Amino acid sequence: MTPPSDFQPVCLVGAAGGFGRAFDEQLSAEGVTVHRVDTAPQTAPRTAPDADVIHPERDPGRLSSAVAESRLILFCIDERSLIAALDGYVAAASPGTVLVDICSTKRRVTEAIATSTKGTGLHHLSIHPMFAPSPFAPSQSFAGKNVVWHTTTESPAASAFLDALGRWGAVLHELDPEAHDRAVVGTQVFAHAALMLFGLANNRLDVSPEARRAVETPNARLLAALTARQADCDPELYLSIQRSADERDRRVLERALTDLLAAVRAGDAAGFAELFGASQRWLGPEAGPARELAQDVIDRLPPLGEPEETPR
C-alpha cells in the first residue's frame, strides 16, 4: 500500500460539492491532511467545521499558503470555473505539485492546464469519475465504479493518488483526452439527451398522475427514476457535456430520432424491425449481460402500491 504521505497535503477545491464531500471523506479516513476550499462554507462536509473551509475571495492569503504547501490540488469544480481560477492556483503552487481535474470532458481543460503550467514544474493528472456521488454515503461512491485517468508526466504524487483510488475500489482505465471525449459521446451525451427527451415528452402529455401510475411499466419506472435523478443535478454541467459533442454527433442523434419516426409514420414493419435490432447491435457481446442486468434490476423493483424506502 502506498502511504498517503506521498501526495499530501491536498488542497481540495470545491469541498462542499458532491465530489468534494466524497473525496474529503475518503482522504480524511486515510489520515490525509486536507485544505478545504469553497465559496459555500456553510454547506461544507461534516468532517470540516466552517472555520476550516477557506473562502478563496475572502481569505486569499490563507488560500495562497494552503496551495503553496500542498502536493496535490484537487479541483472538484466545473470546467469553466476551473479555467477561470487556474492561473491563480498555478502562481501559488510549488514546483512538483500535481493539479487534478475531474472534468467531464478533457480537451479544453487539458489544453488550458498545459498552457498555464508550461515551464512551472507542475504536473497534471486528469481523472473522470464515471458516476455521480451518492448523497447518502459519499465515501462509498467509488467502489466498483469506473474512473478514467490520463497524465502526460511521471509524478510519484500522481501515482500515489491513483493507488488511493484503487484502494477505494475504483476501476481505473487510462484514456487520452481525445479518446475519452469521443467515448463519452455515447455514454453521456446520448444517454443524457435520451433521458431529457423522455422527460420533456412526458411533460407535454396531458395525462393525470393517477392514469400514469395505472399504466406504468417497469421500463417506464426505471426511466422515470433515472430522469428524476439526472434532473436533480447541475444543468450547467450537463449543458457543457452536450456542447462537448461536435455537430456531426448531434446529427447522429437527430438522424436516429428522424429514422424512428419515419418508420412509424410509414408503417414500415421491416424498417422498424431493422431499427429495433440496430438499437442493441452496438453492444455486441455485451448485449446478453446487459439484458440480464436489466432483468435483475426490474425483479428488484418494489411492488407497485408499496412505499419505496429512501436508500441510506
Side-chain angles (χ1 to χ4, degrees):
M1 178 183 294
T2 305
S5 58
D6 280 4
F7 63 82
Q8 72 170 328
V10 172
C11 182
L12 180 57
V13 184
F19 272 112
R21 290 171 181 260
F23 278 109
D24 192 11
E25 287 194 10
Q26 291 282 15
L27 293 168
S28 297
E30 292 202 351
V32 174
T33 299
V34 179
H35 299 301
R36 302 169 181 89
V37 179
D38 208 287
T39 56
Q42 70 276 9
T43 59
R46 292 187 299 276
T47 52
D50 286 356
D52 289 340
V53 180
I54 302 170
H55 193 294
E57 297 168 6
R58 297 174 189 163
D59 200 351
R62 190 172 167 219
L63 174 62
S64 294
S65 297
V67 171
E69 72 175 48
S70 295
R71 295 198 62 193
L72 188 142
I73 304 173
L74 177 54
F75 293 98
C76 293
I77 54 178
D78 65 271
E79 177 187 87
R80 186 169 65 175
S81 299
L82 190 163
I83 293 175
L86 181 59
D87 287 347
Y89 283 92
V90 169
S94 302
T97 300
V98 180
L99 309 184
V100 182
D101 80 88
I102 65 166
C103 295
S104 297
T105 56
K106 297 304 183 184
R107 180 180 58 81
R108 286 186 294 269
V109 71
T110 298
E111 291 174 354
I113 291 178
T115 299
S116 183
T117 60
K118 186 176 182 180
T120 63
L122 301 179
H123 302 281
H124 176 211
L125 170 63
S126 190
I127 67 171
H128 185 187
M130 303 303 301
F131 56 89
S134 168
F136 305 106
S139 64
Q140 299 175 22
S141 296
F142 296 89
K145 306 295 198 325
N146 285 334
V147 175
V148 179
W149 68 275
H150 177 72
T151 186
T152 55
T153 57
E154 294 292 330
S155 164
S159 298
F161 185 68
L162 289 172
D163 288 344
L165 288 169
R167 288 197 300 277
W168 303 343
V171 182
L172 299 172
H173 305 272
E174 183 178 9
L175 278 179
D176 66 63
E178 182 177 354
H180 168 276
D181 287 0
R182 285 303 302 159
V184 298
V185 169
T187 62
Q188 290 195 306
V189 175
F190 290 172
H192 298 167
L195 290 177
M196 285 192 69
L197 287 171
F198 175 77
L200 290 169
N202 272 282
N203 195 52
R204 294 173 184 176
L205 285 178
D206 185 18
V207 176
S208 70
E210 294 77 16
R212 178 183 58 78
R213 285 193 294 268
V215 299
E216 196 167 50
T217 65
N219 284 355
R221 290 179 73 189
L222 288 175
L223 283 172
L226 290 170
T227 301
R229 180 176 181 270
Q230 175 174 288
D232 195 43
C233 298
D234 178 13
E236 186 174 347
L237 168 62
Y238 280 73
L239 175 59
S240 71
I241 293 172
Q242 290 298 317
R243 288 180 58 82
S244 69
D246 59 30
E247 193 57 36
R248 176 187 58 177
D249 299 323
R250 297 189 189 98
R251 285 196 293 269
V252 168
L253 185 62
E254 186 177 45
R255 180 63 183 272
L257 181 58
T258 299
D259 288 350
L260 172 60
L261 294 177
V264 171
R265 287 173 176 143
D268 181 0
F272 187 84
E274 168 58 26
L275 293 174
F276 211 66
S279 68
Q280 69 160 357
R281 196 172 298 143
W282 60 279
L283 285 167
E286 297 176 5
R291 284 192 292 271
E292 293 175 5
L293 173 62
Q295 190 60 54
D296 182 61
V297 172
I298 288 172
D299 290 344
R300 295 171 185 268
L301 286 173
L304 290 170
E306 293 186 7
E308 298 186 12
E309 294 184 1
T310 301
R312 295 291 179 185

